[in-house]
Amino acid sequence: MAEVYAGAVDKGLEGVIACTTAISSIVDATLCYRGYLIEDLAANSSYEEVVFLLWNDRLPSKQELDNFKKTLSKDISLKPETVNMLKLLPTKDVHPMAWLRTAVSSLALWDEDAQDDSEEARFRVASRLTAKMGTLVALFERFRQGKDYVEPNPEKSFAWNFNYMLTGKEPDQDIVDVFDTCMILHADHELNCSAFASRVTASSLSDVYSSVTSGIGALKGPLHGGANEQVMRMLIEVGSVEKAKEWVKDALASKKKIMGFGHRVYKNGDPRAKILRSMSEKLCNKAGTQYYEMSKIIDETVQKEKGLLPNVDFYSASVYYSMGIPLDLYTPIFATSRVSGWLAHIFEQ
Ligand code: COA
């Protein structure tokens, strides 16, 4: 029998070079997309502009951005026959990521470009997938509640439409702005598990839909996309600001992992967490919930007791909760943004 050398296997493939990427880079506590700092993009860009940047390796001119937004707006709606077919999929006791994986895969069957591997066709498919991902997540929630598809407004942004299609009501501008920034912050993150899965599928010269479906399958795992949902469950379990400090101390004493803390790569802090923290403060105060105050105490206690800093998932939980988004949609929303990064990786591969 051949010998197996355990030492040759690195935890989480740490330090193993699988390929190189120019899409995003993490250096110490900084994250850049195509050389632009995430703080600058979050403050000055829209999600649509960031998608253009990820796919084209440069920022668009005003005209290019207008045209790109028009293309995405055109692609955001679903055809009646697609909505009717998706209505047949079960939603009761179904994991929203499993529904999304099936829905995305099924879109390929209606797309005449699905098997065309020319660059033009791949960009058309990429635009459709990026535009429709949020529509599908909103549709799942509508169907689950026994409600109907809400036709998007082509004049409005991606972030506006997602919230509109989810609730059927015109969204508050603060929510739209925060959601747009959340989309920017989650769009790409170097060679993570789901980006790698998308690239592996693309490397066999498979089609874009198959590659994106692989990414969704990888993101579904609780070790990758599911942590912000777990953070919110933890905040609900903690229950009050007064109990937060003791809860953390007890959890650490019993060697429990506190969700939303620590990171395999960022050891000096996740830059996205800082941006999300201020958005959590704004939205929690506006919604009149105590989850920001509670999060702040948990953050201070974990730092003091364990020296660990919050990651992207910690403050995004209270942000999404304040927006009224159901807990099990947090990972599908992550996919709604990250699809743009997967597509950039598929193109690069
Ligand atoms: N809560 C409590 N302790 C934690 C912790 C957390 N969230 N994250 C790491 N630690 C502890 C480990 O138990 C270990 O303690 P020890 O030295 O006493 O054994 C130490 O910190 C180092 O942890 P390690 O497992 O080496 O960190 P890592 O870099 O391999 O793991 C994560 C990184 C993200 C997997 C880990 O921090 C984690 O599981 N975090 C919670 C889940 C989460 O938020 N995931 C989303 C990531 S974006």
Side-chain angles (χ1 to χ4, degrees):
M1 242 173 86
E3 278 187 333
V4 176
Y5 292 98
V9 180
D10 293 294
K11 191 176 158 191
L13 291 183
E14 192 175 337
V16 175
I17 297 171
C19 61
T20 56
T21 178
I23 302 163
S24 59
S25 60
I26 304 164
V27 179
D28 193 22
T30 62
L31 168 64
C32 290
Y33 295 165
R34 301 286 191 187
Y36 290 90
L37 279 171
I38 194 71
E39 289 85 353
D40 289 341
L41 293 171
N44 303 307
S45 280
S46 62
Y47 175 60
E48 289 86 341
E49 189 174 30
V50 165
V51 176
F52 186 102
L53 171 68
L54 291 173
W55 294 356
N56 296 283
D57 196 11
R58 64 178 176 82
L59 286 169
S61 66
K62 186 174 175 324
Q63 185 63 50
E64 284 173 324
L65 181 58
D66 287 347
N67 291 343
F68 188 57
K69 281 182 176 173
K70 274 189 198 132
T71 308
L72 287 174
S73 303
K74 181 174 64 61
D75 286 336
I76 198 168
S77 61
L78 294 169
K79 291 183 187 142
E81 60 265 34
T82 313
V83 175
N84 288 338
M85 193 285 298
L86 293 173
K87 219 178 233 168
L88 300 175
L89 301 179
T91 53
K92 190 173 177 316
D93 298 330
V94 163
H95 193 298
M97 285 295 279
W99 192 94
L100 185 65
R101 185 193 60 217
T102 304
V104 166
S105 182
S106 74
L107 289 187
L109 309 181
W110 278 281
D111 192 333
E112 60 197 13
D113 287 322
Q115 299 306 319
D116 183 340
D117 70 352
S118 67
E119 197 176 315
E120 299 75 28
R122 275 191 276 131
F123 270 97
R124 285 196 295 274
V125 169
S127 163
R128 283 173 204 140
L129 273 168
T130 301
K132 285 181 176 40
M133 193 71 93
T135 314
L136 292 174
V137 174
L139 189 65
F140 169 81
E141 183 57 23
R142 304 283 304 171
F143 283 169
R144 178 161 73 168
Q145 292 180 17
K147 295 179 178 165
D148 269 331
Y149 169 60
V150 175
E151 191 66 53
N153 180 342
E155 301 299 315
K156 299 287 188 179
S157 70
F158 182 88
W160 190 97
N161 267 312
F162 175 77
N163 287 282
Y164 177 59
M165 289 187 286
L166 189 68
T167 62
K169 294 185 200 118
E170 297 211 357
D172 178 282
Q173 194 55 43
D174 278 345
I175 288 188
V176 173
D177 293 344
V178 166
F179 192 76
D180 190 69
T181 307
C182 288
M183 291 282 104
I184 293 174
L185 297 180
H186 288 86
D188 195 49
H189 207 238
E190 264 193 2
L191 200 62
N192 57 82
C193 175
S194 55
F196 189 50
S198 297
R199 291 184 79 124
V200 168
T201 302
S203 73
S204 75
L205 303 185
S206 187
D207 63 288
V208 175
Y209 281 95
S210 300
S211 305
V212 167
T213 306
S214 297
I216 297 174
L219 189 72
K220 179 173 179 285
L223 291 186
H224 186 6
N228 53 9
E229 179 183 337
Q230 296 311 321
V231 170
M232 200 57 231
R233 295 197 188 282
M234 171 183 80
L235 293 176
I236 291 169
E237 188 191 322
V238 173
S240 74
V241 175
E242 294 71 34
K243 289 186 193 150
K245 199 170 178 176
E246 281 315 302
W247 191 94
V248 172
K249 285 186 173 181
D250 289 349
L252 288 175
S254 56
K255 300 269 173 224
K256 261 198 206 161
K257 278 213 166 169
I258 316 288
M259 288 294 122
F261 286 88
H263 202 278
R264 178 79 25 96
V265 185
Y266 297 115
K267 298 301 176 194
N268 296 317
D270 180 334
R272 300 166 300 176
K274 293 189 193 107
I275 303 168
L276 284 156
R277 182 183 160 132
S278 62
M279 299 198 300
S280 164
E281 182 175 15
K282 183 175 177 179
L283 285 198
C284 288
N285 288 343
K286 191 166 173 165
T289 76
Q290 54 179 352
Y291 290 116
Y292 171 71
E293 289 306 319
M294 203 190 280
S295 300
K296 215 172 65 173
I297 291 173
I298 295 174
D299 186 352
E300 284 160 11
T301 314
V302 176
Q303 284 197 44
K304 187 160 171 251
E305 300 289 321
K306 195 78 191 173
L308 288 168
L309 294 160
N311 59 47
V312 68
D313 293 310
F314 187 63
Y315 286 103
S316 61
S318 47
V319 166
Y320 292 151
Y321 192 83
S322 304
M323 292 171 66
I325 294 173
L327 271 59
D328 63 355
L329 290 194
Y330 295 3
T331 313
I333 285 173
F334 190 164
T336 295
S337 162
R338 186 55 62 86
V339 66
S340 60
W342 295 333
L343 288 157
H345 281 277
I346 293 163
F347 295 149
E348 189 178 59
Q349 181 69 35

